[in-house]
Amino acid sequence: MHELGIVFHVIKRLENLAEEQKLAQIQSVTLEIGEVSGVVPEYLEDCWKWAVKKTQIMQDSSLKIETIPAVTICNSCGKTYGTVEHGRTCPHCQSEDTVLQTGNEMNIKQIEAC
């Protein structure tokens, strides 16, 4: 379950940010997660609930998750399409010369703190 490792990494980054910015408490965190990133949101939420109890500054903080759609671009025809619906083959020209544009990333989008 790599979700726990992700949660620990996010918490560490936020603890460092809190120290730099002199924040007393982080109430919520919004993460953007790519549709094909391999991260299971339900597992991430479970890990989050467990892990934030272990840190003073984030002890009751909530986690909000936003999904980044997976979009692929075709190098042959230049059109984009939904990766999940069509996979690697372009639905416009049937080429397999395609590249994932978005949907594999994970970002800390926003935090609410005091």
Side-chain angles (χ1 to χ4, degrees), residues 15-106:
E15 285 176 334
N16 291 340
L17 177 69
E19 186 177 324
E20 290 171 15
Q21 300 295 319
K22 310 282 190 259
L23 302 174
Q25 189 71 32
I26 295 176
Q27 285 96 12
S28 73
V29 178
T30 303
L31 296 181
E32 296 177 310
I33 299 175
E35 190 174 27
V36 295
S37 65
V39 175
V40 179
E42 294 81 16
Y43 294 168
L44 194 70
E45 290 169 350
D46 288 344
C47 292
W48 182 267
K49 289 174 188 173
W50 177 82
V52 294
K53 292 177 184 174
K54 310 288 185 213
T55 177
Q56 186 67 26
I57 197 157
M58 297 183 68
Q59 213 160 42
D60 296 316
S61 70
S62 63
L63 176 64
K64 300 171 188 172
I65 297 175
E66 296 179 3
T67 301
I68 300 171
V71 176
T72 296
I73 186 165
C74 177
N75 290 326
S76 295
C77 70
K79 295 182 180 178
T80 59
Y81 62 90
T83 308
V84 173
E85 298 84 5
H86 302 287
R88 188 171 171 170
T89 303
C90 176
H92 306 288
C93 72
Q94 308 311 309
S95 173
E96 288 189 9
D97 184 14
T98 60
V99 178
L100 183 66
Q101 236 181 356
T102 63
N104 193 31
E105 63 270 52
M106 190 181 109

XYZ file of all heavy atoms in Angstrom, residues 15-106:
709
model
N 4.487 19.821 7.368
C 5.136 20.190 8.632
C 6.271 21.178 8.380
O 6.423 22.150 9.132
C 5.665 18.942 9.340
C 4.589 18.105 9.981
C 5.120 16.818 10.586
O 6.171 16.305 10.130
O 4.462 16.319 11.514
N 7.051 20.949 7.330
C 8.128 21.880 6.983
C 7.567 23.249 6.614
O 8.094 24.284 7.027
C 8.976 21.324 5.832
C 9.800 20.124 6.244
O 10.043 19.894 7.428
N 10.212 19.333 5.279
N 6.498 23.258 5.826
C 5.854 24.508 5.440
C 5.312 25.235 6.670
O 5.463 26.452 6.806
C 4.723 24.245 4.448
C 3.914 25.461 4.025
C 4.764 26.390 3.170
C 2.672 25.033 3.270
N 4.687 24.494 7.562
C 4.137 25.088 8.780
C 5.226 25.732 9.625
O 5.038 26.826 10.186
C 3.390 24.031 9.586
N 6.373 25.081 9.691
C 7.489 25.637 10.450
C 8.001 26.920 9.797
O 8.222 27.922 10.473
C 8.619 24.606 10.544
C 9.748 25.038 11.433
C 10.810 23.956 11.567
O 10.458 22.776 11.597
O 11.991 24.323 11.621
N 8.162 26.898 8.475
C 8.635 28.088 7.740
C 7.679 29.263 7.883
O 8.099 30.405 8.028
C 8.769 27.768 6.253
C 9.884 26.850 5.891
C 9.806 26.415 4.431
O 9.059 27.031 3.640
O 10.507 25.442 4.073
N 6.371 28.979 7.825
C 5.358 30.033 7.833
C 4.810 30.335 9.230
O 3.896 31.135 9.369
C 4.191 29.638 6.908
C 4.597 29.428 5.467
C 5.099 30.714 4.822
O 4.552 31.785 5.023
N 6.157 30.583 4.046
N 5.338 29.665 10.236
C 4.911 29.852 11.624
C 3.413 29.568 11.808
O 2.687 30.309 12.455
C 5.226 31.271 12.111
C 6.638 31.739 11.875
C 7.591 31.149 12.883
C 8.948 31.799 12.787
N 9.934 31.028 12.071
N 2.954 28.475 11.226
C 1.552 28.079 11.335
C 1.346 27.254 12.601
O 2.183 26.424 12.945
C 1.128 27.254 10.121
C 1.290 27.926 8.753
C 0.961 26.937 7.644
C 0.412 29.167 8.653
N 0.227 27.478 13.268
C -0.066 26.749 14.501
C -0.827 25.453 14.243
O -0.626 24.464 14.930
C -0.876 27.639 15.447
N -1.709 25.470 13.265
C -2.558 24.316 12.999
C -2.940 24.280 11.528
O -3.207 25.302 10.926
C -3.834 24.397 13.850
C -4.694 23.171 13.844
C -4.071 22.009 14.613
O -3.359 22.195 15.586
N -4.318 20.808 14.158
N -2.976 23.083 10.952
C -3.460 22.896 9.583
C -4.810 22.204 9.690
O -4.905 21.097 10.209
C -2.469 22.071 8.742
C -1.160 22.855 8.586
C -3.073 21.722 7.382
C -0.058 22.113 7.861
N -5.860 22.899 9.219
C -7.216 22.362 9.338
C -7.590 21.427 8.207
O -8.292 20.451 8.412
C -8.254 23.497 9.399
C -8.303 24.202 10.711
C -7.450 25.466 10.709
O -7.003 25.926 9.667
N -7.217 26.010 11.874
N -7.166 21.753 6.976
C -7.521 20.881 5.855
C -6.465 20.967 4.760
O -5.732 21.947 4.651
C -8.896 21.243 5.281
O -8.829 22.446 4.564
N -6.429 19.911 3.973
C -5.492 19.806 2.856
C -6.277 19.312 1.644
O -7.057 18.367 1.750
C -4.351 18.814 3.168
C -3.413 18.674 1.991
C -3.605 19.227 4.421
N -6.071 19.978 0.510
C -6.684 19.531 -0.740
C -5.583 18.975 -1.631
O -4.609 19.666 -1.928
C -7.401 20.686 -1.466
O -8.383 21.249 -0.589
C -8.068 20.202 -2.737
N -5.751 17.710 -2.025
C -4.805 17.066 -2.931
C -5.469 16.852 -4.275
O -6.644 16.487 -4.344
C -4.363 15.705 -2.389
C -3.586 15.664 -1.080
C -3.237 14.222 -0.733
C -2.332 16.509 -1.167
N -4.705 17.072 -5.338
C -5.148 16.721 -6.682
C -4.471 15.407 -7.030
O -3.251 15.284 -6.894
C -4.710 17.777 -7.696
C -5.311 19.134 -7.494
C -4.784 20.136 -8.488
O -3.546 20.229 -8.643
O -5.598 20.841 -9.100
N -5.275 14.436 -7.469
C -4.733 13.117 -7.781
C -5.152 12.736 -9.190
O -6.332 12.787 -9.533
C -5.233 12.055 -6.780
C -4.775 12.434 -5.373
C -4.732 10.673 -7.166
C -5.304 11.531 -4.298
N -4.174 12.357 -9.997
C -4.442 11.953 -11.367
C -5.281 10.692 -11.440
O -5.104 9.760 -10.649
N -6.164 10.674 -12.419
C -7.098 9.574 -12.612
C -6.395 8.233 -12.846
O -6.912 7.185 -12.481
C -7.987 9.928 -13.802
C -9.165 9.064 -14.039
C -10.055 9.584 -15.161
O -9.562 10.285 -16.068
O -11.245 9.249 -15.125
N -5.202 8.262 -13.438
C -4.465 7.022 -13.697
C -3.143 6.986 -12.921
O -2.187 6.338 -13.326
C -4.227 6.803 -15.216
C -5.528 6.593 -15.932
C -3.437 7.947 -15.833
N -3.103 7.661 -11.783
C -1.880 7.728 -10.981
C -1.601 6.443 -10.221
O -0.495 6.241 -9.734
C -1.975 8.886 -9.983
O -3.009 8.634 -9.048
N -2.607 5.609 -10.078
C -2.434 4.383 -9.308
C -2.753 4.559 -7.835
O -2.702 3.604 -7.061
N -3.099 5.778 -7.421
C -3.456 6.041 -6.035
C -4.943 5.736 -5.856
O -5.778 6.188 -6.631
C -3.169 7.511 -5.658
C -3.641 7.817 -4.251
C -1.685 7.816 -5.817
N -5.259 4.977 -4.820
C -6.650 4.639 -4.514
C -7.140 5.641 -3.462
O -6.676 5.615 -2.320
C -6.779 3.192 -3.995
C -8.223 2.867 -3.655
C -6.207 2.207 -5.008
N -8.050 6.546 -3.850
C -8.489 7.597 -2.925
C -9.009 7.084 -1.582
O -8.713 7.672 -0.540
C -9.600 8.319 -3.701
C -9.249 8.091 -5.130
C -8.660 6.707 -5.170
N -9.741 5.987 -1.583
C -10.273 5.453 -0.325
C -9.148 5.004 0.606
O -9.217 5.214 1.821
C -11.222 4.275 -0.589
C -12.487 4.660 -1.321
C -12.305 4.790 -2.848
O -11.289 4.292 -3.407
O -13.169 5.406 -3.476
N -8.119 4.383 0.052
C -6.970 3.968 0.866
C -6.223 5.193 1.394
O -5.773 5.212 2.539
C -5.997 3.105 0.073
C -6.516 1.756 -0.352
C -5.812 0.995 -1.271
C -7.707 1.233 0.144
C -6.271 -0.252 -1.678
C -8.177 -0.006 -0.262
C -7.447 -0.741 -1.173
O -7.905 -1.966 -1.579
N -6.078 6.194 0.530
C -5.395 7.423 0.927
C -6.133 8.086 2.087
O -5.502 8.516 3.059
C -5.300 8.377 -0.269
C -4.347 9.543 -0.132
C -2.902 9.048 -0.148
C -4.550 10.538 -1.252
N -7.454 8.136 2.013
C -8.253 8.731 3.087
C -8.095 7.955 4.390
O -7.972 8.556 5.463
C -9.719 8.802 2.674
C -9.975 9.822 1.594
C -11.368 9.723 0.983
O -12.095 8.738 1.268
O -11.720 10.629 0.218
N -8.107 6.621 4.318
C -7.924 5.807 5.519
C -6.548 6.039 6.143
O -6.422 6.187 7.367
C -8.093 4.318 5.202
C -9.541 3.939 4.937
O -10.452 4.722 5.286
O -9.759 2.848 4.368
N -5.525 6.062 5.313
C -4.169 6.310 5.804
C -4.060 7.706 6.415
O -3.403 7.895 7.438
C -3.148 6.163 4.667
S -2.966 4.476 4.065
N -4.701 8.670 5.783
C -4.685 10.050 6.275
C -5.275 10.121 7.687
O -4.676 10.715 8.582
C -5.475 10.946 5.323
C -5.468 12.384 5.717
C -6.388 13.035 6.479
C -4.467 13.348 5.388
N -6.041 14.343 6.629
C -4.862 14.559 5.970
C -3.289 13.287 4.647
C -4.119 15.723 5.834
C -2.546 14.456 4.505
C -2.949 15.642 5.101
N -6.436 9.516 7.879
C -7.109 9.564 9.179
C -6.225 8.983 10.283
O -6.211 9.484 11.411
C -8.434 8.804 9.119
C -9.484 9.523 8.307
C -10.723 8.662 8.145
C -11.692 9.289 7.167
N -12.832 8.412 6.860
N -5.490 7.937 9.947
C -4.609 7.316 10.926
C -3.366 8.175 11.170
O -2.987 8.424 12.314
C -4.206 5.923 10.437
C -3.242 5.249 11.350
C -3.533 4.574 12.497
C -1.824 5.209 11.204
N -2.372 4.103 13.063
C -1.311 4.487 12.293
C -0.937 5.712 10.254
C 0.044 4.259 12.461
C 0.414 5.488 10.413
C 0.900 4.767 11.514
N -2.743 8.651 10.097
C -1.447 9.323 10.205
C -1.525 10.715 10.832
O -0.621 11.104 11.566
C -0.792 9.411 8.827
N -2.586 11.464 10.555
C -2.636 12.828 11.103
C -2.774 12.828 12.628
O -2.422 13.813 13.270
C -3.747 13.700 10.463
C -3.453 13.963 9.005
C -5.116 13.118 10.669
N -3.247 11.747 13.187
C -3.354 11.657 14.643
C -1.974 11.578 15.299
O -1.833 11.799 16.494
C -4.186 10.438 15.040
C -5.637 10.573 14.656
C -6.412 9.323 14.992
C -7.839 9.451 14.498
N -8.598 8.232 14.672
N -0.962 11.255 14.505
C 0.399 11.093 15.025
C 1.187 12.400 15.029
O 2.312 12.436 15.488
C 1.179 10.076 14.173
C 0.454 8.781 13.941
C 0.394 7.951 15.178
C -0.243 6.606 14.868
N -1.009 6.079 15.960
N 0.617 13.465 14.468
C 1.328 14.730 14.392
C 0.517 15.837 15.062
O -0.701 15.917 14.874
C 1.656 15.094 12.924
O 2.289 16.367 12.893
C 0.430 15.135 12.054
N 1.167 16.644 15.835
C 0.497 17.684 16.615
C -0.159 18.743 15.732
O -1.313 19.095 15.937
C 1.520 18.354 17.547
C 0.912 19.346 18.501
C 0.009 18.690 19.541
O 0.175 17.520 19.882
N -0.962 19.421 20.024
N 0.536 19.224 14.736
C 0.049 20.353 13.947
C -1.115 20.001 13.016
O -1.863 20.856 12.581
C 1.203 21.001 13.153
C 0.791 22.384 12.694
C 1.635 20.132 11.996
C 1.938 23.290 12.408
N -1.271 18.699 12.713
C -2.309 18.299 11.766
C -3.367 17.415 12.403
O -4.193 16.852 11.710
C -1.650 17.569 10.586
C -0.710 18.472 9.832
S -0.012 17.693 8.419
C -1.454 17.542 7.410
N -3.363 17.300 13.692
C -4.220 16.349 14.399
C -5.661 16.425 13.993
O -6.183 16.306 14.138
C -4.089 16.478 15.884
C -4.269 15.178 16.523
C -3.680 15.193 17.914
O -3.821 16.125 18.646
N -3.025 14.145 18.242
N -6.433 16.706 13.600
C -7.829 16.733 13.197
C -8.003 17.312 11.798
O -9.107 17.705 11.474
C -8.693 17.480 14.213
C -8.713 16.785 15.562
O -8.849 15.558 15.594
O -8.583 17.464 16.591
N -6.955 17.416 11.060
C -7.095 18.017 9.724
C -7.834 17.065 8.774
O -7.697 15.858 8.856
C -5.733 18.390 9.139
O -5.007 17.249 8.800
N -8.617 17.675 7.922
C -9.375 16.881 6.952
C -8.642 16.843 5.616
O -7.811 17.700 5.317
C -10.777 17.464 6.763
O -10.695 18.772 6.227
N -8.976 15.840 4.843
C -8.370 15.661 3.519
C -9.450 15.786 2.462
O -10.491 15.143 2.553
C -7.710 14.284 3.417
C -7.118 13.911 2.064
C -5.956 14.842 1.711
C -6.667 12.467 2.060
N -9.189 16.634 1.485
C -10.089 16.777 0.341
C -9.325 16.299 -0.892
O -8.149 16.635 -1.056
C -10.510 18.234 0.160
C -11.239 18.802 1.358
C -11.450 20.291 1.218
C -12.012 20.867 2.507
N -12.049 22.336 2.475
N -9.984 15.508 -1.727
C -9.334 14.961 -2.918
C -10.076 15.423 -4.157
O -11.299 15.319 -4.235
C -9.299 13.420 -2.865
C -8.448 12.969 -1.676
C -8.762 12.850 -4.175
C -8.437 11.470 -1.452
N -9.319 15.952 -5.113
C -9.855 16.335 -6.417
C -9.164 15.477 -7.473
O -7.953 15.285 -7.415
C -9.615 17.811 -6.694
C -10.345 18.727 -5.733
C -10.089 20.205 -6.000
O -9.375 20.544 -6.974
O -10.608 21.025 -5.212
N -9.940 14.987 -8.416
C -9.387 14.118 -9.457
C -8.983 14.932 -10.683
O -9.753 15.762 -11.163
C -10.424 13.058 -9.865
O -10.775 12.303 -8.696
C -9.868 12.116 -10.920
N -7.768 14.673 -11.161
C -7.293 15.270 -12.405
C -7.584 14.264 -13.515
O -7.078 13.137 -13.476
C -5.781 15.560 -12.358
C -5.459 16.531 -11.224
C -5.292 16.100 -13.698
C -3.979 16.702 -10.955
N -8.408 14.634 -14.492
C -8.750 13.692 -15.559
C -7.513 13.271 -16.362
O -6.613 14.067 -16.592
C -9.720 14.466 -16.446
C -10.118 15.672 -15.673
C -9.057 15.930 -14.662
N -7.514 12.017 -16.786
C -6.432 11.509 -17.633
C -6.740 11.888 -19.084
O -7.791 11.532 -19.612
C -6.313 10.004 -17.486
N -5.819 12.629 -19.686
C -5.976 13.070 -21.070
C -4.719 12.684 -21.842
O -3.602 12.913 -21.384
C -6.200 14.600 -21.148
C -6.277 15.072 -22.591
C -7.456 14.999 -20.388
N -4.924 12.104 -23.004
C -3.826 11.689 -23.873
C -3.862 12.517 -25.153
O -4.929 12.857 -25.645
C -3.945 10.186 -24.211
O -3.810 9.445 -22.992
C -2.882 9.723 -25.183
N -2.685 12.818 -25.678
C -2.590 13.525 -26.955
C -2.005 12.570 -27.994
O -1.101 11.786 -27.698
C -1.750 14.818 -26.858
C -1.811 15.601 -28.168
C -0.312 14.515 -26.450
C -1.326 17.030 -28.068
N -2.540 12.629 -29.185
C -2.062 11.800 -30.291
C -1.020 12.578 -31.080
O -1.276 13.688 -31.538
C -3.235 11.414 -31.195
S -2.726 10.456 -32.638
N 0.159 12.005 -31.236
C 1.215 12.654 -32.007
C 0.940 12.620 -33.506
O 1.493 13.418 -34.253
C 2.570 12.007 -31.713
C 3.051 12.319 -30.318
O 2.806 13.387 -29.780
N 3.719 11.362 -29.699
N 0.076 11.723 -33.950
C -0.222 11.614 -35.375
C -1.216 12.672 -35.844
O -0.995 13.338 -36.845
C -0.770 10.225 -35.711
O 0.222 9.254 -35.475
N -2.333 12.817 -35.117
C -3.356 13.770 -35.568
C -3.439 15.021 -34.704
O -4.126 15.976 -35.060
C -4.724 13.091 -35.657
S -5.458 12.664 -34.056
N -2.759 15.030 -33.555
C -2.730 16.209 -32.697
C -3.942 16.391 -31.801
O -4.018 17.373 -31.071
N -4.875 15.462 -31.831
C -6.082 15.597 -31.011
C -5.881 14.953 -29.643
O -5.065 14.059 -29.479
C -7.273 14.960 -31.725
C -7.641 15.686 -33.007
C -8.853 15.063 -33.652
C -9.178 15.831 -34.944
N -10.319 15.236 -35.634
N -6.651 15.444 -28.676
C -6.627 14.870 -27.332
C -7.900 14.058 -27.094
O -8.912 14.273 -27.770
C -6.525 15.967 -26.256
O -7.634 16.845 -26.359
C -5.227 16.749 -26.385
N -7.812 13.157 -26.135
C -8.967 12.318 -25.802
C -8.828 11.779 -24.384
O -7.749 11.800 -23.807
C -9.120 11.174 -26.816
C -7.944 10.214 -26.845
C -7.922 9.097 -26.022
C -6.862 10.426 -27.694
C -6.850 8.213 -26.044
C -5.798 9.551 -27.718
C -5.792 8.446 -26.892
O -4.735 7.580 -26.908
N -9.927 11.284 -23.845
C -9.939 10.694 -22.513
C -9.221 9.355 -22.494
O -9.621 8.427 -23.208
N -8.202 9.271 -21.697
C -7.362 8.079 -21.631
C -8.113 6.867 -21.100
O -7.979 5.761 -21.642
C -6.139 8.352 -20.740
O -5.501 9.541 -21.186
C -5.161 7.199 -20.761
N -8.886 7.057 -20.065
C -9.577 5.929 -19.443
C -10.553 5.289 -20.426
O -10.654 4.068 -20.513
C -10.289 6.371 -18.144
C -11.156 5.267 -17.582
C -9.260 6.822 -17.113
N -11.254 6.102 -21.193
C -12.246 5.579 -22.136
C -11.614 4.867 -23.325
O -12.176 3.898 -23.838
C -13.137 6.711 -22.691
C -13.948 7.444 -21.667
C -13.196 8.568 -20.964
O -12.039 8.877 -21.313
O -13.769 9.139 -20.033
N -10.463 5.342 -23.773
C -9.909 4.849 -25.041
C -8.541 4.186 -24.940
O -8.061 3.637 -25.933
C -9.844 5.990 -26.056
C -11.172 6.609 -26.325
N -12.148 5.986 -27.068
C -11.710 7.780 -25.902
C -13.213 6.758 -27.119
N -12.983 7.853 -26.420
N -7.895 4.274 -23.806
C -6.584 3.644 -23.657
C -5.520 4.343 -24.479
O -5.528 5.548 -24.664
N -4.622 3.550 -25.017
C -3.484 4.107 -25.728
C -3.768 4.400 -27.200
O -3.059 5.167 -27.851
C -2.329 3.117 -25.619
C -1.089 3.694 -26.160
C 0.107 2.868 -25.895
N 1.156 3.485 -26.683
C 2.392 3.209 -26.624
N 2.780 2.278 -25.809
N 3.260 3.817 -27.373
N -4.792 3.792 -27.762
C -5.096 3.970 -29.184
C -6.006 5.178 -29.386
O -7.082 5.277 -28.789
C -5.783 2.709 -29.750
O -4.925 1.589 -29.510
C -6.026 2.845 -31.240
N -5.584 6.078 -30.253
C -6.346 7.291 -30.540
C -7.688 6.927 -31.185
O -7.722 6.232 -32.203
C -5.546 8.194 -31.479
S -6.437 9.669 -32.005
N -8.793 7.415 -30.623
C -10.103 7.116 -31.204
C -10.373 7.892 -32.495
O -11.290 7.551 -33.239
C -11.082 7.535 -30.110
C -10.361 8.606 -29.363
C -8.915 8.217 -29.400
N -9.556 8.904 -32.778
C -9.763 9.732 -33.960
C -9.090 9.155 -35.203
O -9.661 9.178 -36.290
C -9.263 11.157 -33.708
C -9.862 11.793 -32.491
N -11.167 12.213 -32.417
C -9.334 12.044 -31.261
C -11.419 12.716 -31.217
N -10.315 12.614 -30.497
N -7.856 8.634 -35.030
C -7.110 8.150 -36.200
C -6.559 6.732 -36.033
O -5.874 6.229 -36.905
C -5.976 9.114 -36.542
S -4.604 9.087 -35.366
N -6.816 6.124 -34.876
C -6.389 4.762 -34.552
C -4.876 4.607 -34.372
O -4.367 3.492 -34.309
C -6.890 3.745 -35.599
C -8.380 3.805 -35.882
C -9.230 3.801 -34.608
O -9.048 2.950 -33.753
N -10.137 4.749 -34.488
N -4.145 5.685 -34.266
C -2.703 5.617 -34.051
C -2.400 5.224 -32.604
O -3.163 5.535 -31.687
C -2.070 6.980 -34.339
O -0.704 6.977 -33.976
N -1.271 4.559 -32.407
C -0.795 4.259 -31.062
C 0.379 5.151 -30.677
O 0.995 4.955 -29.631
C -0.412 2.783 -30.953
C -1.631 1.880 -30.963
C -1.300 0.438 -30.632
O -0.149 0.151 -30.233
O -2.207 -0.403 -30.772
N 0.654 6.149 -31.499
C 1.711 7.123 -31.220
C 1.109 8.223 -30.340
O 0.825 9.331 -30.800
C 2.264 7.701 -32.527
C 3.440 8.639 -32.292
O 4.001 8.649 -31.181
O 3.779 9.387 -33.238
N 0.881 7.884 -29.089
C 0.194 8.774 -28.163
C 1.002 8.966 -26.887
O 1.853 8.133 -26.558
C -1.191 8.208 -27.802
O -1.024 6.920 -27.197
C -2.085 8.080 -29.032
N 0.710 10.056 -26.188
C 1.416 10.376 -24.954
C 0.408 10.880 -23.925
O -0.437 11.729 -24.242
C 2.487 11.472 -25.197
C 3.189 11.849 -23.906
C 3.490 11.035 -26.234
N 0.526 10.371 -22.710
C -0.320 10.841 -21.615
C 0.060 12.279 -21.290
O 1.223 12.584 -21.028
C -0.132 9.949 -20.387
C -0.992 10.259 -19.180
C -2.477 9.997 -19.498
C -0.559 9.432 -17.992
N -0.928 13.168 -21.330
C -0.691 14.583 -21.059
C -0.919 14.925 -19.598
O -0.113 15.606 -18.974
C -1.647 15.432 -21.911
C -0.960 16.415 -22.772
C -1.963 17.236 -23.582
O -3.165 17.041 -23.567
N -1.422 18.163 -24.317
N -2.058 14.497 -19.063
C -2.382 14.730 -17.650
C -3.052 13.484 -17.087
O -3.563 12.662 -17.831
C -3.351 15.920 -17.456
O -4.585 15.615 -18.094
C -2.783 17.216 -18.001
N -3.029 13.398 -15.771
C -3.738 12.308 -15.117
C -2.871 11.350 -14.334
O -3.367 10.436 -13.695
N -1.545 11.569 -14.356
C -0.648 10.684 -13.623
C -0.002 11.399 -12.431
O 0.769 10.811 -11.702
C 0.437 10.146 -14.557
C 1.195 8.992 -13.943
O 0.651 8.230 -13.158
N 2.459 8.861 -14.284
N -0.344 12.660 -12.236
C 0.316 13.459 -11.216
C -0.450 13.485 -9.897
O -1.591 13.044 -9.811
C 0.536 14.888 -11.731
C -0.739 15.649 -12.034
C -1.240 15.494 -13.457
O -1.383 14.374 -13.945
O -1.531 16.521 -14.058
N 0.229 14.019 -8.877
C -0.387 14.271 -7.587
C 0.197 15.564 -7.052
O 1.421 15.735 -7.040
C -0.123 13.141 -6.606
C -0.954 13.291 -5.362
S -0.652 12.012 -4.170
C 0.209 12.978 -2.970
